[in-house]
Amino acid sequence: MVEPHIVTVLNVNDDDASRYMVTRILEMSGHRVIEAGTGGDALRLAAELRPELVILDVRLPDLSGYEVAARLRANPETASLSVMHTSATFVTADKRVQGLDSGADAYLTEPFEPAELLATVKSLLRLRHAERELRQRADQLAEADRRKDEFLAMLAHELRNPLAAIMTAIGILERKSTEDAKETRMRSIIHRQTHHLARLVDDLLDVSRITRGKVELRRTRLDLVEVLRQALTLIRPVAEGRGLSLESTLPEQPLWLEADGTRLEQVFTNLLDNAAKYSDAGGNIRVQLFQEGVDGSARAVVRITDTGIGIPAHKLPTIFELFAQADETLERSRGGLGIGLTLVRNLVEMHGGIVYANSPGAGRGSEFVVKLPLAAHQLALKGDSLTAPERPRQRRILLVEDNSDARQALQDLLELWGHQVQVAQDGMGGVATALEIRPELALVDIGLPGLDGYRVAQELRARVGQEIRLVAITGYGGPEDRSRALQAGFDHHLVKPVKPDELNRLLTNL
């Protein structure tokens, strides 16, 4: 049999008779009572014994009850205690207001009936119990959220290892010509689906980071025309594979933004992928980019229209909400997690822009419009825009990777580019090999057995020197992971699966 919980009450009053009367009423109702005659004693006993309720007379010999209540509220250790003021003299409305403003939860005027005192005590204890349950629930939710984030990070890491091997392998195959039409078609399918899976993994993690405010933009001056061209290049095989035509109208002159190019590419790839996903074969996707406004109000406008399934009127107001779906049929033939448009909205708003959707209705296509503020120096020279990387010169490279498939695929790709590659499958082996061959560049996985990638970087910096270039290749892609890698001594941080073109640009620009 569970023992009933006994409530502890601190009764503070310098008048012995009044204090005795309240104590007797409470004890007869089954409460445990602690007594104090001064404000100083009340503060000390409240901190030491943590009663659930403080019955506090306003008039005390050292501190007023208002001051005691305020100090209880200011102390984190006693801030959650319930406080009830009592007074036989300070009974005007302004005094009651002063008592409640100081932190009291209730105010009783003496003399009061025992039933009134007990009813007020019960009411305050019910409120305190409800607050405690809500606080515990909030703590449980915070802990569950933390574990969810840890799980998502680990899930992404585990998914990115096989993705890295597949993406690198298909990158090698695509560089070898074939006359077999079926093989060409299979390569294209693997390429599209691998990139699609990689985007799903990134979106799943990014929506978690954004909702926690952990995504930071790495702004540079960039040409939005080039960003859109890159997004169109990525999505064109997907659109053509689904029997869709893809048209674009882009200005000849650059439109400069102060923005994070990777995040904007993510925005437009998501919108274009959605347009392709929700359009049937024979449909059309059209992309327009133009400038509206002048001077300080100038904005770049991207308009993406499709001839797909459209958006019902009742879905338009919530289409950017987390897990919202335009395809509500039981078979869910269009797929998707319902997080892409949430990412789009958040990333666009982080850039100071807006995004909205229009649709004439179901079966009549959709339109998504993104508006982004242009950089102050819009008239920058075209020569500052991004240029395609050249083929990197041959380098002596150390690759440290414990996943055998990912290691072999990346080694084959690097050697195909003409580099000299030595490999190691764990941290200790990586350090030993680096001391032996003195590579120009080390590509190091973070999640290595024994000596992890961070410690490998620290060892190489200490024993090989500052000349070696260190690149972290990892499934952990959060801002905190990048920061930790740079602090450990890495020069660059790449997230698996690394696209061959991205790695090629890095090797060229080192």
Side-chain angles (χ1 to χ4, degrees):
M1 182 175 178
V2 179
E3 292 291 331
H5 174 65
I6 299 177
V7 174
T8 300
V9 180
L10 174 58
N11 179 19
V12 187
N13 198 315
D14 66 328
D15 183 84
D16 294 340
S18 297
R19 188 173 65 247
Y20 175 78
M21 179 194 69
V22 170
T23 296
R24 288 295 296 158
I25 294 172
L26 294 173
E27 287 179 340
M28 292 176 66
S29 297
H31 302 307
R32 179 187 295 113
V33 182
I34 308 163
E35 293 187 341
T38 66
D41 286 343
L43 293 171
R44 177 178 56 81
L45 291 171
E48 291 177 359
L49 304 177
R50 306 288 179 84
E52 292 164 85
L53 171 66
V54 180
I55 298 179
L56 179 62
D57 190 46
V58 170
R59 187 172 184 175
L60 297 171
D62 52 348
L63 302 171
S64 72
Y66 307 129
E67 177 67 19
V68 173
R71 292 192 187 185
L72 289 173
R73 289 285 176 253
N75 184 350
E77 296 182 351
T78 58
S80 62
L81 300 182
S82 294
V83 177
M84 178 171 64
H85 273 159
T86 63
S87 179
T89 54
F90 299 104
V91 294
T92 59
D94 61 318
K95 295 300 182 181
R96 293 192 183 94
V97 171
Q98 184 180 352
L100 296 174
D101 285 342
S102 69
D105 301 292
Y107 198 111
L108 280 185
T109 301
E110 297 182 35
F112 42 73
E113 295 294 327
E116 183 182 8
L117 172 64
L118 293 176
T120 306
V121 167
K122 288 180 181 179
S123 175
L124 293 178
L125 292 176
R126 280 197 302 270
L127 288 173
R128 186 178 187 279
H129 179 70
E131 289 174 356
R132 184 168 58 247
E133 287 190 335
L134 287 173
R135 194 176 298 111
Q136 290 174 348
R137 180 61 177 160
D139 291 342
Q140 291 170 354
L141 289 174
E143 176 63 16
D145 190 57
R146 184 188 66 79
R147 294 191 179 192
K148 177 260 296 179
D149 293 332
E150 290 179 352
F151 169 76
L152 287 177
M154 184 59 66
L155 176 65
H157 182 267
E158 293 303 315
L159 288 174
R160 280 170 170 160
N161 271 325
L163 277 173
I166 296 170
M167 191 171 287
T168 307
I170 193 62
I172 294 173
L173 291 177
E174 287 178 336
R175 282 164 172 78
K176 295 184 178 181
S177 61
T178 178
E179 296 180 359
D180 189 326
K182 182 177 290 186
E183 182 179 342
T184 300
R185 190 163 59 251
M186 293 303 103
R187 289 181 184 181
S188 179
I189 290 172
I190 295 172
H191 179 90
R192 288 197 306 272
Q193 296 304 320
T194 303
H195 279 76
H196 178 62
L197 184 55
R199 282 201 303 274
L200 287 178
V201 171
D202 288 338
D203 286 354
L204 188 62
L205 279 175
D206 281 341
V207 77
S208 175
R209 294 192 197 109
I210 285 177
T211 54
R212 292 179 292 129
K214 288 197 171 184
V215 168
E216 295 181 3
L217 299 181
R218 294 199 286 273
R219 294 178 184 266
T220 59
R221 192 168 65 88
L222 54 82
D223 178 12
L224 184 57
V225 178
E226 295 296 334
V227 173
L228 265 178
R229 282 183 180 143
Q230 178 65 21
L232 287 165
T233 299
L234 292 173
I235 211 67
R236 192 172 299 278
V238 176
E240 292 175 351
R242 292 173 176 165
L244 305 170
S245 63
L246 180 60
E247 303 175 11
S248 62
T249 304
L250 307 180
E252 295 183 2
Q253 297 300 319
L255 289 177
W256 296 101
L257 308 179
E258 295 290 339
D260 186 324
T262 300
R263 293 303 183 181
L264 286 187
E265 184 178 310
Q266 188 177 6
V267 165
F268 296 118
T269 301
N270 260 309
L271 290 176
L272 288 167
D273 187 60
N274 260 17
K277 183 192 306 178
Y278 292 106
S279 297
D280 295 321
N284 173 262
I285 301 171
R286 181 168 180 77
V287 180
Q288 296 173 284
L289 170 61
F290 56 90
Q291 176 180 337
E292 72 172 15
V294 294
D295 300 327
S297 63
R299 294 189 294 184
V301 181
V302 180
R303 194 182 303 277
I304 299 174
T305 57
D306 63 65
T307 56
I309 66 172
I311 306 171
H314 74 279
K315 295 292 293 183
L316 273 173
T318 60
I319 196 66
F320 291 99
E321 298 299 324
L322 193 58
F323 306 128
Q325 296 281 353
D327 182 5
E328 296 179 320
T329 59
L330 289 177
E331 66 270 18
R332 290 290 328 284
S333 58
R334 307 286 175 172
L337 300 175
I339 60 179
L341 290 181
T342 302
L343 276 175
V344 166
R345 181 185 63 184
N346 281 279
L347 290 173
V348 168
E349 290 177 353
M350 288 174 69
H351 281 88
I354 59 172
V355 58
Y356 55 89
N358 296 311
S359 177
R364 302 175 64 187
S366 306
E367 175 188 71
F368 286 85
V369 180
V370 176
K371 297 186 177 184
L372 296 164
L374 290 171
H377 303 292
Q378 167 59 22
L379 299 178
L381 295 177
K382 176 67 177 177
D384 289 339
S385 62
L386 301 175
T387 57
E390 301 174 357
R391 185 179 182 83
R393 68 176 179 83
Q394 294 182 0
R395 299 180 183 274
R396 191 167 62 256
I397 297 176
L398 168 63
L399 171 62
V400 188
E401 167 66 72
D402 65 321
N403 184 287
S404 58
D405 288 339
R407 183 175 64 247
Q408 186 63 60
L410 190 52
Q411 180 183 4
D412 290 345
L413 179 63
L414 292 169
E415 289 178 344
L416 183 65
W417 288 343
H419 301 294
Q420 301 174 24
V421 184
Q422 293 288 328
V423 299
Q425 61 184 8
D426 57 42
M428 293 296 293
V431 173
T433 304
L435 293 174
E436 179 184 346
I437 69 171
R438 299 284 169 166
E440 301 171 67
L441 169 71
L443 303 174
V444 183
D445 184 32
I446 295 298
L448 296 169
L451 202 66
D452 66 32
Y454 300 122
R455 293 181 61 193
V456 169
Q458 292 166 354
E459 287 290 321
L460 293 181
R461 281 284 175 247
R463 302 171 68 179
V464 177
Q466 299 300 316
E467 294 302 317
I468 185 173
R469 289 289 172 263
L470 301 179
V471 179
I473 298 183
T474 174
Y476 298 108
E480 62 277 9
D481 301 308
R482 181 177 182 276
S483 176
R484 186 178 177 187
L486 298 179
Q487 289 174 2
F490 284 103
D491 299 293
H492 298 277
H493 178 265
L494 297 180
V495 179
K496 294 178 180 179
V498 179
K499 299 173 185 176
D501 289 343
E502 182 182 1
L503 181 59
N504 186 67
R505 282 196 298 269
L506 175 65
L507 295 176
T508 300
N509 295 329
L510 280 176

